[in-house]
Amino acid sequence: CLPSGSHFAWTLFTPQATLFDDDDQQVITHFFSPNPIEDDTVRVTWEHSLDSSIVWGQVIQPVSVAPDAIPWLLIKKVGVQDGPTGGKTLSATTFIQRVHTEGGVAPSTGCSKTKDVGAKAFVPYEADYFFYMSDGT
């Protein structure tokens, strides 16, 4: 919760998400981190859970589909990094799409007074993420 003009508003601190495959196995962690390709500009980040390859992205198209859910997103790759042992699962990523979102919107309470400044709220959400990859040609 932060001051916003003459009132207070919830502000995104960082995404914190774990992505699972169809077999409920953890495959990717999603968060913010500095992108070394862009002089450490902080970007949305996905790190593969097995090989530690990373892709950084920049949102190019948010679309609000439902008032009670976070927006659907189209994100372009702005940096990649192979994992420390050569893992490349996410290295060919070109775009990421977040769709079918449920939840994740800021709470409607808890951020209206000076005493609320600095408060944090972790808001669960569900979504489908699609990773588009270059075929290398």
Side-chain angles (χ1 to χ4, degrees), residues 13-137:
F13 175 68
T14 185
Q16 181 179 333
T18 304
L19 283 61
F20 296 88
D21 65 14
D22 291 335
D23 296 321
D24 289 328
Q25 298 296 310
Q26 179 179 328
V27 290
I28 294 174
T29 304
H30 172 42
F31 51 95
F32 279 156
S33 74
N35 177 4
I37 288 56
E38 296 181 295
D39 295 323
D40 291 333
T41 300
V42 175
R43 295 285 188 189
V44 289
T45 309
W46 291 264
E47 182 173 1
H48 195 270
S49 300
L50 296 178
D51 71 14
S52 299
S53 58
I54 296 173
V55 60
W56 288 273
Q58 178 180 8
V59 175
I60 57 172
Q61 186 64 51
V63 177
S64 293
V65 176
D68 59 347
I70 55 176
W72 293 17
L73 300 175
L74 179 60
I75 301 153
K76 71 176 181 176
K77 169 200 76 176
V78 292
V80 295
Q81 180 176 296
D82 293 346
T85 59
K88 297 180 182 235
T89 303
L90 295 176
S91 299
T93 302
T94 56
F95 288 92
I96 300 156
Q97 192 174 27
R98 179 177 76 191
V99 295
H100 307 131
T101 56
E102 295 179 20
V105 295
S108 59
T109 61
C111 184
S112 61
K113 301 176 181 131
T114 303
K115 71 177 183 72
D116 298 328
V117 171
K120 293 181 181 164
F122 291 95
V123 182
Y125 75 95
E126 291 187 19
D128 291 326
Y129 284 87
F130 292 92
F131 290 77
Y132 296 89
M133 308 280 188
S134 166
D135 64 4
T137 58

